Every structure is written in structure tokens, then in C-alpha cells.
Amino acid sequence: MTSDPQAWAADLTGLHAQVWARLLHGVADRQAPARHPTLATLSPDGWPEARTVVLRAADPVAGTLDLHTDLYSAKVAALRHCARAALHIWDAEMQLQSRLSVQVQVLSGPEVAAIWARVPDPSRQSYGTMPRPGQPIATDLAYEKRPDAESFAVLRCTVWAIDAVYLGPEHRRARFARETLWQGQWLAP
């Protein structure tokens, strides 16, 4: 039997803490794998959709994550149709795959004004594109970026479950759920 270099992977509490530590690292470090998770939703016509998003906030105590988006994007329409989604993160350095089942609340307008005030100008360029995101255009650059606070939305993701898979020398997998107060259960990898 091989010895794993990551002691946290052999302990449910350590594995859960490591998932949240990597999420917090993703908020703080633009180069961290958790900075750009994949968000999977179900479109209003029933097709699965996946896209890379940017993790902007993580609160391990509340069990929430925040993503920023354009209010008129397809992901918002999908989330208004079905507020359940999944986030996927692969951290090659840690050999850790995290899949999070989330319930998403779309926040906009006055309820996100304080967050908008902290968004740097280069990032504001992503909210208010004309024509709106996903609309057909005549040529590759036939759009304008018009920063618009009314187009800014925060996707507040309440984490309901975490499926964590460590793929080091000895594979380990566990599930953590809000309903069991994040107690953790080992699963076959």
C-alpha cells in the first residue's frame, strides 16, 4: 500500500476543510483552479449547459458561493427555469475533484448595488454588452461593451452537497451534505 502525500485526504473532516480551503483560495488567487469552476445548468428546453464562470466569494460558515454574471445571459434564464445547478472544479496540484450541488438565487438591482460598487472598471465591461449576450451578430466584433449596473447580477449559490474525490496514489471519495450538517460519508471512488 502506497503512502499518500496528502494527510487531509484520509480524514473526512480534513477532506471537507480542504474543499473549502481550495474554494477560498480560488476567490483570493486569480491563478487558482477554483477561481474558474464549471457551472452546469439545465436550459429551459431541457438541454444541459456547462460554462466556465469566475468564483467571486465563498463563505464556508453559510455554505455559499457567489458568481457574477450579466442579468441577460442564458445562464440566468436557465436558473430561473430551474434554480438547481452543479459546480465542478479540478485541482491538478492537489489531485482533488470537487462537485458541488447548489441552489442558486439570482440577485440584481438594489440588492447588489454594494457589490457592484466594488467591481473594478475592467470587470464592469462584462455587464451590459449590446446586443445582449448570446444574440446573433453580423461579424465577430459587432458588439459594444457598455458597463451597466442594471445588467449586473450575483448568482448566490447555496451549497447542498459536496462530492469530493481525491485521486492521489490511494483514491478516496466522500460526500458531504447540508442535511447531515456536513458530517461526511465515505464512498467507493
Side-chain angles (χ1 to χ4, degrees):
M1 192 155 167
T2 316
S3 173
D4 272 325
Q6 306 294 350
W8 53 260
D11 174 72
L12 285 169
T13 303
L15 182 54
H16 183 258
Q18 187 62 225
V19 169
W20 279 102
R22 302 315 293 171
L23 290 166
L24 289 166
H25 186 63
V27 172
D29 181 354
R30 291 175 175 246
Q31 304 305 314
R35 178 66 165 208
H36 297 101
T38 300
L39 173 69
T41 59
L42 188 62
S43 73
D45 59 357
W47 289 96
E49 300 175 325
R51 80 278 287 156
T52 303
V53 293
V54 180
L55 182 62
R56 299 296 187 175
D59 182 342
V61 175
T64 61
L65 305 169
D66 282 1
L67 314 168
H68 296 177
T69 192
D70 190 296
L71 186 61
Y72 303 102
S73 67
K75 71 179 89 53
V76 171
L79 290 164
R80 286 189 170 146
H81 172 73
C82 177
R84 292 180 177 172
L87 287 165
H88 174 267
I89 300 157
W90 168 243
D91 189 321
E93 179 184 354
M94 293 292 154
Q95 296 293 293
L96 180 63
Q97 171 185 265
S98 300
R99 294 186 308 139
L100 297 91
S101 298
V102 299
Q103 182 83 23
V104 184
Q105 182 181 13
V106 179
L107 307 173
S108 63
E111 60 193 342
V112 298
I115 298 170
W116 174 258
R118 294 189 308 270
V119 174
D121 186 58
S123 295
R124 286 183 178 197
Q125 302 297 317
S126 299
Y127 314 106
T129 302
M130 292 305 288
R132 291 188 170 154
Q135 297 301 306
I137 55 178
T139 63
D140 59 339
L141 297 175
Y143 64 89
E144 293 179 42
K145 291 189 171 199
R146 299 180 186 169
D148 178 14
E150 295 304 312
S151 294
F152 177 69
V154 173
L155 304 180
R156 175 82 29 90
C157 303
T158 299
V159 180
W160 285 95
I162 298 170
D163 187 305
V165 182
Y166 172 65
L167 294 173
E170 298 293 333
H171 295 186
R172 293 178 175 86
R173 179 179 179 190
R175 183 176 192 279
F176 305 92
R178 181 176 288 273
E179 65 192 18
T180 62
L181 303 176
W182 309 111
Q183 183 174 334
Q185 171 65 57
W186 290 113
L187 304 173

